[in-house]
Amino acid sequence: MVNSNLFPSIEATGGESSTESRRKKPRISETEAEIEARRINEESLKRWKTNRVQQIYASKLVEALRRVRQRSTNEPDKVVSVAAREIRETADRVLAASAKGTTRWSRAILASRVRAKLKKHKKAAKKSAGNCKSRKAAATETNRIKLPAVDRKLKFLGRLVPGCRKVSVPNLLDEATDYIAALEMQVRAMEALAELLTAAAPRTTLTGP
Amino acid sequence: MDLTGGFGARSGGGGGPYREPIGLESLHLGDEFRQLATTTLTPDNAGGSFTALLELPPTQAVELLHFTDSSSSSQAAAATTGIGGGDIIITPPPPPPPPLHSFGGTTLTFPSNSALMERAARFSVIATEQQQNNGNNNNETPTSSVPSNSSDRVKTEPPETDSTMENQSLCPNQTNRSGKRKDFDKKVKSSTKKNKISEETEKLPYVHVRARRGQATDSHSLAERARREKINARMKLLQELVPGCDKIQGTALVLDEIINHVQSLQRQVEMLSMRLAAVNPRIDFNLDTILASENGSLMDGSFSGTAMQLAWPHQAIETEQSFHHRQLQPPPPPQQWPFDGLNQPVWGREEDQAHGNDHSNLMAVSENVMVGSANLHPNQVKMEL
């Protein structure tokens, strides 16, 4: 797949060592923990705000969308929702690729597509997730009627961030931080792209496809 | 003698990261003593010599050392530690040694429990690199006993023991590179020490956790506290990231906000992807023309170009169609795009947005796509403007 060409070129570049050290971070006392966490998080968050990252993401997104369109023109008459899902997944993959494999959620996004392709399931990820959900829900119900509110929310947050269900709490918070920053960048880029395309599209229809 | 060796090692080790102007102020020492102590505690105990630490006139230091040699270990420890001014344990010499009289203005009160202080003296001997393991085991007993005794002492005592505890924990910090030794680290006074220690402890597999004054000091609560602080630090960062979370108190509500934010972002992405899907079929992506013209105009245009030049080769490799431009060689553009004319209005338009520069290049890139795809330059110019 062309996407597989996309990934090696990106994954080959070194990841952020700060994130790796963050995984093995020892227990540090209070102010030190704050200083460490702040420093590392700011470094990682700033990378989602740089110009360069935005450019790279935008150009890759354009290219990926073009490819999707190429494929979809071969199979005409796709419902908008199906196309939307494809575009969203493409955008997520491009976003995960931009993360250069340093974060858990990015790896999970990239891996989920590979897994789906291997199994040839359309909704393999959703199915397995559904099973896990039912199993987990049953387990928690049998153990306790209601977990403490904070724990419930942390679990929910783990479900929202891809690939972070069984992750420890501090790592989960780290992943969520990076994920939120990446999502914001994705929204900005897609919004700009959509604006451009919708602005341009009415004119192009004049000349016709 | 072991003791002097121990002192040398400890003062050398403890003198490095150890500063105590703040700690000393609370010691209620006489002025001259305070001066002495503050001047002594400068971070240059590379040699670790006792005289350097004290900055006493050599004669007095020699006397002290001599006194150490001659008298009992605990008394020597007392003398030297008393002079060290919080840097070392203060032990009571039953006969007040002559050197101590020079510090007559002090309000140091020595604990009367000499047995305890002998243990404390052993403390200092033990805290050396060679005797790590023994020291750790032995240290735990005096440390546990000292806090309990501190309440009995006169008010000058607890600050002194605090600083002593800190100092002793410093050495184990640096020497113990394996295993958890949380029990050492008791009361902490200043955050400056923590900052200095942080540089060293980053490399250690286990880092010592410091308890504040008056907090429980058993291993479980220390571990709990460390864990909680890590989590709280990250929650604070998340709060700053998510808009509107600063004013919320309480972890649960903040988590609610974070979850809402993530969900809203994901929904926005879905909406945008639907918009893009709706828009896409209407656009004719003409790959070869686009890429050729884009590459050409990229070279001509005033991009902060390295990023784009790096990005485009990636795409060049990835395209399914045969694309022979492996490098960014600008072919003569088939059409003369008014590229510079396009750039400025785009950038001008984008200035309004919050992320002005973030989008300027993006817009220009996407514009090139659009321009190439639509194959209409005058119309394109009108559109962009």
Side-chain angles (χ1 to χ4, degrees), chain A residues 2 27 32 55 58-59 188, chain B residues 194 207 315 318 355 361-362:
Chain A
V2 192
R27 294 173 292 114
E32 291 170 11
Q55 285 175 11
S59 51
R188 284 202 301 267
Chain B
K194 287 184 223 166
V207 178
Q315 300 182 12
E318 296 150 10
H355 320 284
N361 291 324
L362 159 63

Side-chain angles (χ1 to χ4, degrees), chain B residues 164-383:
Chain B
T164 28
M165 287 306 112
E166 298 160 350
N167 185 41
Q168 272 140 19
S169 55
L170 282 175
C171 298
N173 264 346
Q174 295 158 17
T175 56
N176 292 334
R177 316 236 154 203
S178 62
K180 308 181 191 180
R181 299 293 173 216
K182 298 180 303 229
D183 299 329
F184 288 162
D185 312 293
K186 302 300 179 183
K187 319 209 165 146
V188 171
K189 303 230 61 181
S190 64
S191 56
T192 54
K193 258 183 302 189
K194 287 184 223 166
N195 290 340
K196 305 226 167 146
I197 291 161
S198 67
E199 300 156 8
E200 301 154 1
T201 52
E202 279 175 31
K203 311 158 201 161
L204 299 181
Y206 284 98
V207 178
H208 296 273
V209 177
R210 301 194 167 278
R212 283 217 190 86
R213 226 193 123 126
Q215 289 183 339
T217 51
D218 59 308
S219 63
H220 291 295
S221 38
L222 275 174
E224 271 291 315
R225 197 174 309 119
R227 178 182 156 272
R228 254 182 289 147
E229 277 144 14
K230 267 207 295 191
I231 292 178
N232 287 339
R234 288 175 168 88
M235 287 289 297
K236 263 211 258 178
L237 283 167
L238 268 172
Q239 267 183 306
E240 291 167 12
L241 193 59
V242 177
C245 259
D246 302 346
K247 294 143 194 168
I248 301 179
Q249 301 291 333
T251 315
L253 297 174
V254 169
L255 277 176
D256 272 339
E257 277 302 308
I258 292 169
I259 288 176
N260 286 340
H261 191 66
V262 170
Q263 280 177 328
S264 78
L265 283 174
Q266 284 176 340
R267 259 180 273 132
Q268 279 180 23
V269 169
E270 296 227 20
M271 290 294 132
L272 285 170
S273 68
M274 211 176 306
R275 275 175 67 188
L276 282 173
V279 158
N280 256 353
R282 294 193 247 157
I283 291 159
D284 180 19
F285 284 110
N286 196 338
L287 268 177
D288 289 333
T289 332
I290 293 167
L291 288 171
S293 59
E294 276 167 346
N295 284 338
S297 45
L298 266 178
M299 296 306 286
D300 295 342
S302 56
F303 259 116
S304 56
T306 40
M308 296 314 301
Q309 291 174 13
L310 284 177
W312 286 116
H314 280 253
Q315 300 182 12
I317 296 166
E318 296 150 10
T319 50
E320 296 169 358
Q321 318 229 340
S322 62
F323 185 69
H324 304 293
H325 295 252
R326 286 287 159 177
Q327 303 158 9
L328 267 182
Q329 297 163 7
Q335 294 135 333
Q336 295 295 327
W337 300 117
F339 187 83
D340 292 335
L342 277 178
N343 272 345
Q344 283 152 16
V346 170
W347 286 334
R349 180 157 57 109
E350 287 303 318
E351 297 291 22
D352 308 336
Q353 293 192 14
H355 320 284
N357 266 344
D358 291 338
H359 286 294
S360 58
N361 291 324
L362 159 63
M363 304 295 265
V365 169
S366 312
E367 274 186 36
N368 288 334
V369 173
M370 289 315 308
V371 164
S373 66
N375 290 335
L376 297 166
H377 358 211
N379 288 349
Q380 293 298 323
V381 176
K382 284 181 207 160
M383 267 188 290

Side-chain angles (χ1 to χ4, degrees), chain B residues 42-62:
Chain B
T42 50
D44 64 336
N45 281 327
S49 69
F50 197 66
T51 57
L53 177 65
L54 297 182
E55 280 194 17
L56 288 175
T59 52
Q60 274 187 339
V62 168

